[in-house]
Amino acid sequence: MWFLGWKGESGFSASSTAEQVTQGIDGHGLTAIVTGATSGLGLETTRVFALRGVHVVMAVRSVESGTKVKETILKEIPSAKIDVMELDLCSMASVRKFASDYISSGRPLNILMYVLFDIDELFHNNAGVMATPFQLSQDNIEMQFATNHLSHFLLTNLLLETMKRTVRECKREGRIVILSSEAHRLPYQEGIRFDKINDESVYNSYYAYGQSKLANILHAKELTRRFKEGVEITANALHPGSIITNILRYHGYINAVANMVGKYLLKNVQQGAATQCYVALHPQVKGISGEYFMDSNKATPTHLANDSELAKKLWEFSVSLTNQK
């Protein structure tokens, strides 16, 4: 059980759950895309969004698994509006197809939320990844950077006009929510290794994960800088908290220790999904953009995460890797 219950400025704490931070919020009329929605934080976010009336589009690698999750949620919440669409974040072609299909469907888009995929779905069926052995994505880019940042970057750019149109038509603020991590504090020394992204000889799984999580925060900050005045869309990054999962399964000793102490010191999934649901739905966050959140409160990231020049350089680098004009 998570025992730290000190409340921050928002009135919520590390022990708050996703249901608690969205209590009383009416999400009817909102449409959200949630990646990684078949397990863990993504599944709980989908369930709570549906509970609050949000129309959720589950962006999942396995449509079969997504459909089963949808059916389970519908048993609990018969009024839930949920669609399932295929998206493999390991493949830019899949990202482009998803975006094209979504735009063709004519659906609005109020909330774009990026949640890590379950490690088993990712690495065994091959997708959001943490400290994995060196591997390349389908586009021959280091897996953690490609999956945790580049695919998010590409999908955001492809769907941004849809979000802008939705904001104009419904006159409600659009929100982009990106799951980062406190691991952004431990990237490579230079932050982003632009010239060595695919260099296996200097690859370190933990630093590479930190690099991808740093990229998440820089992405949100640069998006905010690029939003033109009058565009009511915000972009924020967050740390969900330390949660009991099998995400460290490739690091036996650490995973074993985490599982032993986890039930006493780590969050459960309901608590872990709170911050992302808070940032996506709560009226307290209206108009706030380019920030980093933790425990449903604003937090302070590292100096590298606040480096505007690094954010600009990452943007241009990401444009080149995703072959965008």
Side-chain angles (χ1 to χ4, degrees):
M1 176 181 293
W2 186 258
F3 59 86
L4 297 179
W6 298 292
K7 293 181 179 179
E9 185 178 349
S10 69
F12 301 112
S13 70
S15 63
S16 299
T17 66
E19 285 197 26
Q20 289 170 342
V21 302
T22 59
Q23 185 66 43
I25 294 175
D26 184 0
H28 288 88
L30 298 177
T31 301
I33 292 174
V34 179
T35 67
T38 56
S39 64
L41 300 180
L43 192 161
E44 178 64 4
T45 297
T46 298
R47 187 189 70 83
V48 172
F49 275 11
L51 185 66
R52 303 306 178 211
V54 178
H55 178 183
V56 183
V57 177
M58 300 173 61
V60 299
R61 193 172 190 278
S62 168
V63 172
E64 181 181 358
S65 296
T67 301
K68 290 178 180 178
V69 168
K70 173 183 175 179
E71 292 171 350
T72 299
I73 293 175
L74 285 171
K75 289 178 182 177
E76 177 190 350
I77 312 167
S79 62
K81 294 180 66 177
I82 301 174
D83 293 321
V84 180
M85 293 181 64
E86 183 176 0
L87 172 63
D88 183 354
L89 291 176
C90 293
S91 164
M92 289 188 201
S94 178
V95 171
R96 293 181 187 278
K97 183 178 187 306
F98 175 91
S100 177
D101 290 347
Y102 193 92
I103 293 168
S104 297
S105 74
R107 293 182 181 91
L109 180 58
N110 303 89
I111 300 167
L112 183 53
M113 177 174 288
Y114 295 111
V115 184
L116 287 176
F117 280 77
D118 179 80
I119 193 68
D120 281 322
E121 182 180 351
L122 171 62
F123 214 66
H124 278 297
N125 297 316
N126 252 335
V129 292
M130 177 179 180
T132 62
F134 183 84
Q135 183 175 337
L136 297 178
S137 71
Q138 293 182 27
D139 301 285
N140 293 316
I141 300 168
E142 189 275 309
M143 181 69 82
Q144 298 195 78
F145 188 77
T147 304
N148 294 344
H149 166 64
L150 274 186
S151 291
H152 299 168
F153 176 86
L154 176 59
L155 186 58
T156 299
N157 284 0
L158 294 174
L159 292 177
L160 201 51
E161 287 305 314
T162 299
M163 289 197 78
K164 290 178 180 179
R165 186 184 69 249
T166 300
V167 168
R168 290 193 299 267
E169 292 175 352
C170 74
K171 302 189 185 307
R172 297 176 73 171
E173 180 180 84
R175 297 186 183 183
I176 298 169
V177 183
I178 307 172
L179 258 72
S180 178
S181 168
E182 279 291 89
H184 84 274
R185 300 182 187 281
L186 293 172
Y188 295 107
Q189 185 174 7
E190 60 270 49
I192 309 291
R193 284 193 163 177
F194 295 104
D195 59 341
K196 298 179 180 178
I197 287 293
N198 288 348
D199 190 341
E200 185 176 2
S201 68
V202 295
Y203 177 79
N204 177 286
S205 62
Y206 294 104
Y207 293 158
Y209 181 70
Q211 171 181 251
S212 72
K213 297 290 96 183
L214 172 63
N216 292 150
I217 302 176
L218 292 170
H219 182 203
K221 289 186 176 293
E222 182 63 10
L223 265 173
T224 297
R225 189 186 71 83
R226 287 171 176 263
F227 286 145
K228 294 181 180 179
E229 186 176 348
V231 176
E232 292 189 33
I233 300 175
T234 62
N236 291 293
L238 65 97
H239 171 56
S242 300
I243 303 153
I244 280 191
T245 69
N246 64 343
I247 198 167
L248 285 168
R249 60 178 306 222
Y250 294 97
H251 306 271
Y253 176 73
I254 298 175
N255 189 49
V257 172
N259 281 318
M260 277 194 300
V261 302
K263 61 183 177 180
Y264 302 109
L265 300 177
L266 305 182
K267 292 184 179 183
N268 58 38
V269 171
Q270 292 74 28
Q271 293 164 334
T275 303
Q276 60 213 52
C277 289
Y278 171 79
V279 174
L281 291 178
H282 207 285
Q284 289 179 352
V285 189
K286 181 175 174 57
I288 296 175
S289 191
E291 297 291 345
Y292 177 63
F293 287 79
M294 181 168 59
D295 298 335
S296 300
N297 284 276
K298 281 201 287 187
T300 302
T302 63
H303 72 282
L304 282 174
N306 283 318
D307 187 330
S308 59
E309 292 305 312
L310 184 61
K312 292 175 187 177
K313 187 175 180 180
L314 174 64
W315 184 281
E316 296 304 325
F317 183 64
S318 302
V319 166
S320 67
L321 288 181
T322 54
N323 298 311
Q324 297 179 81
K325 295 182 180 180

